[in-house]
Amino acid sequence: VSAIPHYSLQELALKLGLHLDGDPNLRITGIAPLDQAGSHQISFYSNRRYHQDLLSTRAAAVILRPQDAASCPVATLRSTNPYASYARLSQLFEPGRAVVPGRHATAQVDPEAEVDASAALGPHVVIGAGTVIAADVRIDANSVIGAGCQIGEGCHLHPNVTLYDGVTLGRHCIVHSASVIGSDGFGYAQERGRHLKIAQLGGVCIGDEVEIGAGTTIDRGALTDTVIGNGVKIDNQVQIAHNVRIGDNTVICGCSAIAGSSVIGNDCIIAGAVGIINHVTICDGVTVTAMSLVNQSITTPGVYSSGTGLSDSASWRKNIVRFRQLDELFRRILQLEKK
Amino acid sequence: VSAIPHYSLQELALKLGLHLDGDPNLRITGIAPLDQAGSHQISFYSNRRYHQDLLSTRAAAVILRPQDAASCPVATLRSTNPYASYARLSQLFEPGRAVVPGRHATAQVDPEAEVDASAALGPHVVIGAGTVIAADVRIDANSVIGAGCQIGEGCHLHPNVTLYDGVTLGRHCIVHSASVIGSDGFGYAQERGRHLKIAQLGGVCIGDEVEIGAGTTIDRGALTDTVIGNGVKIDNQVQIAHNVRIGDNTVICGCSAIAGSSVIGNDCIIAGAVGIINHVTICDGVTVTAMSLVNQSITTPGVYSSGTGLSDSASWRKNIVRFRQLDELFRRILQLEKK
Amino acid sequence: VSAIPHYSLQELALKLGLHLDGDPNLRITGIAPLDQAGSHQISFYSNRRYHQDLLSTRAAAVILRPQDAASCPVATLRSTNPYASYARLSQLFEPGRAVVPGRHATAQVDPEAEVDASAALGPHVVIGAGTVIAADVRIDANSVIGAGCQIGEGCHLHPNVTLYDGVTLGRHCIVHSASVIGSDGFGYAQERGRHLKIAQLGGVCIGDEVEIGAGTTIDRGALTDTVIGNGVKIDNQVQIAHNVRIGDNTVICGCSAIAGSSVIGNDCIIAGAVGIINHVTICDGVTVTAMSLVNQSITTPGVYSSGTGLSDSASWRKNIVRFRQLDELFRRILQLEKK
């Protein structure tokens, strides 16, 4: 089993590039929230909501802003962005699995695939013809990669991932289990009441440092590619239809559904269970709140919402009857105002 | 192929602990609804909606409340809870697959894993180092279990399930296909417009007798575990984010999405396609109706809803315009009332 | 790697049964939109929105209605339904993978299964006892088929698909990756606060020419089958619960959730992320728009919707407060009108 790493406080300060005020030899074995951390655990303070927890923390040390150091009863590591320092710290404590380069004996690699010698292919992995797998790629057990794919340097595909033919992943992407990239877009032509399948001839092109959650599906394009920009982060069970284009560093939370040919700008935040339809274009810097339906293009950065908010069901039942009469209501008020 | 079981009516009465009024030797080969059951099938009556069907049923026998026996034209098995008796009955008719203990020749089990001799591992199953698999566990074909997991006695994992490292399942859990447990929580720190990944160092801890539907995803915690209580039932395509806590015997229907750090009490019913966000806490005994968004904590047991109800699209289009003017409307009415 | 097909314009005209006006020997190597097509690509024109693109296209040829031919600067193929002709055309340009009939050496086929000699089973495929696989079926890598299934002629199952026991697929179905067919319906009986599992004894019966998207789940019936009609097209991440019945040629877009025992007619269009609950029946020819909740039966063909439409979040916050006061508002207006 993998060993969990540990460090001296001094080592952590060096690795994170932070000023340390405290015993450099303190041994740190893990990270914990301020109110739960013990004497060998490090914590962080970035949100004023937890000020009380800071005052009474028993952590070995706390990462915090210089101006908060005076309130801290224990050793400090000073950072202008403690939450980002925590992100870097968390990566240091990830239990390292010994990844053995090479192909597991049960992996099935097409003779026409090119797999870098440093790549690690797990049990029962299948790699199609013409696929190129770069250095330091890790593909976990039972994942299937189609033909003509390109997997960039340092990508990590978790178990049971499926890539169809013709999918390109940039460098340092992470793809979680049960996700599917490159499945057919949902396209049919009607002819006398039947649906004729439109073959989906485009591919999927994904940038660098993209993370794709578990159970997420990204369809291939109809004629041209579906395109995901650099640094995009996609949560679990997101559906991205054919020919969607997503700009750099946009974040898409769990269970959102993005219909075909939608265009989303850079630096957007699409919260959970959002629907985006009607071939809309969303400009850079837009936030859409949870469970909203975007059915028209958005041309001004800002925050957008739909829905009714939660009520007890008895009142809700009355109000939804009234919702159906809203237009009529406005006419009645107009009558009243005229009088 | 597996044989479908059959029983005499007498045997069924004994196994279910019910009083039989009818021919004990009648051979019962299956279960069917009241209006479809034939002369060797048993049925049940628990909902008054089907009273007409009871009167004319041709079933061999009917499970029903003692007070309903007089209306039944055929043999009866009397139960104070006929629907619960039907649940037990249904299990008796499940076609038993001969599960052979041991590891299929193609299963890949890490030498540092501990697998009970009575466990059955299907073809291409992969088990990581340090994982402990208890008695009578069944893991079906092509499922992948990470390192450091614990799978309690009598669990059944269907094909193509993925467990990441450090996932604990209690006893007698059922996990359906394409579900993923222990994938990374969706956590990033912002630094100059980029998203730094926060390593997800917690695990997932799941109680006894939990059922997890097909295509459901449960993320591991950031620092501490994501926790699912005993007897929780989770339907298909549910998303449970990092550090969610779900109380005992709560039911979550298909396609619901529960955002990070949500806390849900015991004995709740979360209907289908519900969204739960904003780190809310929901007390015990709450029901949330389908497609509602819970964006604030709920402290009183009861039924809660959101949404507008369905209309024909032409009226709906008019009413949603009015919805956007609602606040203005209230002001206009206030003006009218002042006059 | 697979070769991409190419054709002379004459060959395409013959294969599509269309009248050609242009150089029959022109070599066509692919399809592209009107504004992107080059001198060896064919395009199509079916939507007036792209009229400008038609006038300036540099495609080798365009498929269009006879009455539009005069506006086209290049060769034409005349069709009364250009979009349907495009669908047929797209299939001609699908890169053909050489599918080798037979079983990959790593496939695990139960001795009691019957697999047609023309069927192609990929690596690590698992086939259960009593399952019958017809001619020209293709089952891709790492898919698992339970016992007692029937897979009709010409079906294609992509990688990592799961079929439980007792699932029937008609002819020429396509099933995309990570989908699950035949998982247990979500059924429990309550007994003293606990949930007793109801064994799901029905199967799933799927018609001919059905396509099932990636990550879609279709549960088996409780006593009788879940039934999907002929020609039904189901997109990604759709959830279909036990005993749902879907009529012929109905289309269900991504992320919709259809609760148990719902009945949907023929020729319906269920848009994305729709919820259907309460055991409703929907008649033939109904369209439900995206993210609507259907909580009552629909007996008249037409278009139906729910939701509030999108606003900026600041106004939205005000309006949802008012939504909760709607019923009260109607009473206040009634008062005003009385005066």
Side-chain angles (χ1 to χ4, degrees):
Chain A
V1 199
S2 54
I4 292 168
H6 55 87
Y7 305 90
S8 73
L9 207 43
Q10 172 75 349
E11 284 177 294
L12 289 179
L14 280 170
K15 282 175 185 286
L16 300 174
L18 302 180
H19 174 79
L20 165 65
D21 186 358
D23 176 359
N25 299 317
L26 253 176
R27 190 164 164 269
I28 305 295
T29 60
I31 315 175
L34 284 167
D35 62 337
Q36 294 173 38
S39 59
H40 291 286
Q41 289 175 308
I42 185 167
S43 194
F44 64 97
Y45 172 67
S46 63
N47 185 334
R48 313 228 151 260
R49 220 166 124 185
Y50 300 105
H51 190 68
Q52 277 311 118
D53 293 343
L54 175 64
L55 298 179
S56 58
T57 190
R58 297 175 173 199
V62 177
I63 300 174
L64 41 57
R65 287 185 200 83
Q67 60 266 40
D68 295 321
S71 311
C72 181
V74 299
T76 59
L77 287 159
R78 296 169 191 198
S79 165
T80 52
N81 185 345
Y83 202 61
S85 296
Y86 155 54
R88 292 210 166 80
L89 176 75
S90 70
Q91 291 169 15
L92 298 175
F93 280 94
E94 197 155 32
R97 265 232 222 177
V99 177
V100 186
R103 309 168 184 194
H104 191 276
T106 60
Q108 302 295 324
V109 180
D110 189 282
E112 290 180 57
E114 286 175 44
V115 180
D116 189 275
S118 62
L121 307 185
H124 315 125
V125 162
V126 178
I127 309 284
T131 285
V132 178
I133 294 181
D136 300 319
V137 166
R138 173 178 162 190
I139 302 181
D140 288 343
N142 294 16
S143 285
V144 179
I145 313 299
C149 293
Q150 302 200 38
I151 314 287
E153 191 185 314
C155 282
H156 179 187
L157 280 62
H158 285 271
N160 280 319
V161 163
T162 308
L163 267 57
Y164 281 52
D165 298 352
V167 171
T168 297
L169 286 183
R171 293 175 302 163
H172 302 290
C173 293
I174 300 170
V175 184
H176 288 283
S177 295
S179 58
V180 178
I181 307 178
S183 39
D184 286 352
F186 195 62
Y188 304 91
Q190 313 311 312
E191 192 183 49
R192 281 171 254 120
R194 289 181 59 235
H195 309 290
L196 297 180
K197 182 170 174 71
I198 296 170
Q200 303 291 305
L201 306 174
V204 178
C205 184
I206 292 177
D208 295 337
E209 300 192 30
V210 172
E211 184 157 5
I212 295 170
T216 281
T217 52
I218 304 178
D219 280 348
R220 63 194 314 106
L223 291 173
T224 57
D225 289 351
T226 301
V227 179
I228 313 288
N230 294 318
V232 170
K233 308 298 180 186
I234 302 174
D235 198 358
N236 295 352
Q237 298 198 44
V238 170
Q239 151 68 356
I240 297 180
H242 53 183
N243 297 106
V244 166
R245 301 178 71 92
I246 300 180
D248 293 348
N249 297 314
T250 280
V251 170
I252 302 180
C253 299
C255 302
S256 283
I258 304 179
S261 301
S262 305
V263 177
I264 302 179
N266 301 324
D267 306 310
C268 292
I269 299 172
I270 309 299
V274 164
I276 299 179
I277 60 167
N278 287 352
H279 302 200
V280 302
T281 295
I282 297 177
C283 68
D284 296 349
V286 165
T287 294
V288 180
T289 65
M291 286 184 82
S292 298
L293 174 65
V294 180
N295 53 4
Q296 55 200 87
S297 288
I298 300 179
T299 55
T300 312
V303 185
Y304 296 84
S305 303
S306 71
T308 67
L310 196 72
S311 322
D312 69 279
S313 293
S315 337
W316 174 74
R317 264 176 238 288
K318 287 181 195 158
N319 290 327
I320 61 172
V321 170
R322 298 316 194 177
F323 177 81
R324 293 204 193 94
Q325 303 164 345
L326 261 185
D327 190 54
E328 176 218 316
L329 177 74
F330 272 76
R331 291 172 202 287
R332 283 162 63 184
I333 290 167
L334 208 62
Q335 285 301 321
L336 286 170
E337 288 173 334
K338 279 184 187 162
K339 281 176 193 171
Chain B
V1 198
S2 53
I4 293 168
H6 56 88
Y7 305 91
S8 74
L9 207 43
Q10 171 77 349
E11 284 176 294
L12 289 179
L14 279 169
K15 281 175 185 285
L16 301 173
L18 302 180
H19 174 80
L20 165 65
D21 187 358
D23 174 2
N25 299 316
L26 253 176
R27 188 164 166 268
I28 305 295
T29 60
I31 317 175
L34 285 167
D35 61 337
Q36 293 173 36
S39 60
H40 290 286
Q41 289 175 307
I42 185 167
S43 194
F44 64 97
Y45 172 66
S46 64
N47 183 335
R48 312 227 153 257
R49 219 167 123 185
Y50 301 105
H51 190 68
Q52 277 310 119
D53 293 343
L54 175 63
L55 298 179
S56 58
T57 190
R58 297 175 173 197
V62 177
I63 300 174
L64 41 57
R65 288 185 199 85
Q67 61 266 40
D68 294 321
S71 311
C72 182
V74 299
T76 59
L77 288 159
R78 295 168 192 199
S79 166
T80 53
N81 186 345
Y83 202 60
S85 297
Y86 155 55
R88 292 208 167 80
L89 177 75
S90 70
Q91 292 169 15
L92 298 174
F93 281 94
E94 198 156 32
R97 263 231 223 178
V99 177
V100 186
R103 309 169 184 192
H104 190 276
T106 59
Q108 302 294 325
V109 180
D110 190 282
E112 290 180 57
E114 285 175 46
V115 180
D116 190 274
S118 62
L121 307 185
H124 316 125
V125 162
V126 178
I127 310 283
T131 286
V132 179
I133 294 180
D136 301 319
V137 166
R138 171 178 163 190
I139 301 181
D140 289 343
N142 294 16
S143 285
V144 178
I145 314 299
C149 292
Q150 302 199 39
I151 315 287
E153 191 186 315
C155 282
H156 179 186
L157 280 62
H158 285 271
N160 280 321
V161 163
T162 308
L163 267 57
Y164 282 51
D165 297 350
V167 171
T168 297
L169 287 182
R171 292 175 303 164
H172 303 290
C173 293
I174 300 170
V175 184
H176 288 282
S177 294
S179 58
V180 178
I181 308 177
S183 38
D184 286 351
F186 195 61
Y188 303 91
Q190 313 312 312
E191 192 183 49
R192 281 171 255 122
R194 289 181 59 236
H195 309 290
L196 297 179
K197 181 170 176 70
I198 296 170
Q200 302 292 303
L201 306 174
V204 178
C205 185
I206 292 176
D208 296 338
E209 301 194 28
V210 171
E211 184 158 3
I212 294 170
T216 281
T217 52
I218 303 178
D219 280 347
R220 64 193 315 105
L223 291 174
T224 57
D225 289 351
T226 301
V227 180
I228 313 288
N230 294 318
V232 170
K233 308 298 180 187
I234 302 174
D235 197 358
N236 295 351
Q237 298 197 43
V238 171
Q239 151 68 354
I240 297 180
H242 52 182
N243 297 107
V244 165
R245 301 179 73 90
I246 300 180
D248 294 348
N249 298 315
T250 280
V251 170
I252 301 180
C253 299
C255 303
S256 283
I258 304 179
S261 301
S262 305
V263 177
I264 303 178
N266 301 325
D267 306 310
C268 292
I269 298 172
I270 308 299
V274 164
I276 299 179
I277 61 168
N278 287 352
H279 301 201
V280 301
T281 296
I282 297 176
C283 68
D284 297 349
V286 165
T287 293
V288 180
T289 65
M291 285 183 84
S292 298
L293 175 65
V294 180
N295 54 4
Q296 55 201 85
S297 289
I298 300 178
T299 55
T300 312
V303 185
Y304 295 84
S305 303
S306 71
T308 65
L310 196 72
S311 322
D312 69 280
S313 293
S315 338
W316 174 74
R317 263 176 238 289
K318 288 181 195 159
N319 290 327
I320 62 172
V321 170
R322 299 315 195 177
F323 177 80
R324 293 204 193 93
Q325 303 165 345
L326 260 186
D327 191 54
E328 175 218 316
L329 177 73
F330 272 76
R331 292 172 202 287
R332 282 163 62 185
I333 290 166
L334 208 62
Q335 284 302 320
L336 286 170
E337 288 173 333
K338 278 186 190 161
K339 281 176 195 169
Chain C
V1 197
S2 53
I4 292 168
H6 56 88
Y7 305 90
S8 73
L9 206 44
Q10 171 77 345
E11 283 176 294
L12 290 179
L14 280 170
K15 281 174 186 285
L16 300 173
L18 300 181
H19 174 80
L20 164 66
D21 186 359
D23 175 1
N25 299 316
L26 254 176
R27 190 164 166 268
I28 305 294
T29 60
I31 316 175
L34 284 167
D35 62 337
Q36 293 173 36
S39 58
H40 291 286
Q41 289 176 307
I42 185 167
S43 194
F44 63 97
Y45 171 66
S46 64
N47 184 334
R48 312 228 152 260
R49 220 167 122 186
Y50 300 106
H51 190 69
Q52 276 312 115
D53 292 343
L54 175 65
L55 298 179
S56 57
T57 190
R58 296 173 175 202
V62 177
I63 300 174
L64 40 58
R65 286 184 200 87
Q67 60 266 41
D68 294 320
S71 310
C72 181
V74 300
T76 59
L77 287 159
R78 296 168 190 198
S79 166
T80 52
N81 186 343
Y83 202 61
S85 297
Y86 156 54
R88 293 208 166 80
L89 177 74
S90 70
Q91 291 170 16
L92 299 175
F93 280 94
E94 198 156 33
R97 264 231 224 176
V99 177
V100 186
R103 309 167 185 193
H104 190 276
T106 59
Q108 302 294 324
V109 180
D110 190 281
E112 290 181 55
E114 286 176 44
V115 180
D116 190 275
S118 62
L121 308 185
H124 315 125
V125 162
V126 178
I127 310 283
T131 285
V132 178
I133 294 181
D136 301 319
V137 166
R138 172 178 162 189
I139 301 180
D140 289 342
N142 293 17
S143 285
V144 179
I145 314 298
C149 293
Q150 302 199 39
I151 314 287
E153 191 185 315
C155 282
H156 180 187
L157 280 62
H158 284 271
N160 280 320
V161 163
T162 308
L163 266 57
Y164 282 51
D165 298 352
V167 171
T168 297
L169 286 183
R171 293 175 301 164
H172 302 292
C173 293
I174 300 170
V175 184
H176 288 281
S177 294
S179 57
V180 178
I181 308 178
S183 38
D184 286 352
F186 196 62
Y188 304 91
Q190 313 310 314
E191 192 183 49
R192 282 170 253 121
R194 288 182 58 236
H195 309 291
L196 298 179
K197 182 170 175 70
I198 296 170
Q200 302 292 304
L201 305 174
V204 178
C205 184
I206 292 177
D208 296 337
E209 300 192 30
V210 172
E211 183 157 5
I212 294 170
T216 281
T217 52
I218 304 178
D219 279 349
R220 63 194 314 105
L223 291 174
T224 57
D225 289 351
T226 301
V227 180
I228 312 288
N230 294 319
V232 170
K233 308 298 179 186
I234 302 174
D235 197 358
N236 295 351
Q237 298 198 45
V238 170
Q239 151 68 356
I240 298 180
H242 53 182
N243 298 108
V244 166
R245 300 179 72 91
I246 299 181
D248 293 349
N249 297 315
T250 280
V251 170
I252 301 180
C253 299
C255 301
S256 283
I258 304 179
S261 301
S262 305
V263 178
I264 302 179
N266 301 324
D267 306 310
C268 292
I269 298 171
I270 309 300
V274 163
I276 300 179
I277 60 168
N278 288 351
H279 301 200
V280 301
T281 296
I282 296 177
C283 68
D284 296 349
V286 165
T287 293
V288 181
T289 65
M291 285 184 86
S292 297
L293 174 65
V294 181
N295 53 4
Q296 56 199 85
S297 288
I298 299 179
T299 55
T300 313
V303 185
Y304 296 84
S305 303
S306 71
T308 66
L310 197 72
S311 321
D312 68 282
S313 293
S315 339
W316 175 73
R317 265 176 236 287
K318 288 182 195 158
N319 290 327
I320 61 172
V321 170
R322 299 315 195 178
F323 178 80
R324 294 203 192 93
Q325 304 165 345
L326 260 186
D327 191 53
E328 176 218 315
L329 177 73
F330 271 77
R331 291 172 203 288
R332 282 163 63 186
I333 289 166
L334 208 61
Q335 284 302 321
L336 285 170
E337 288 173 333
K338 278 183 189 162
K339 281 175 195 171

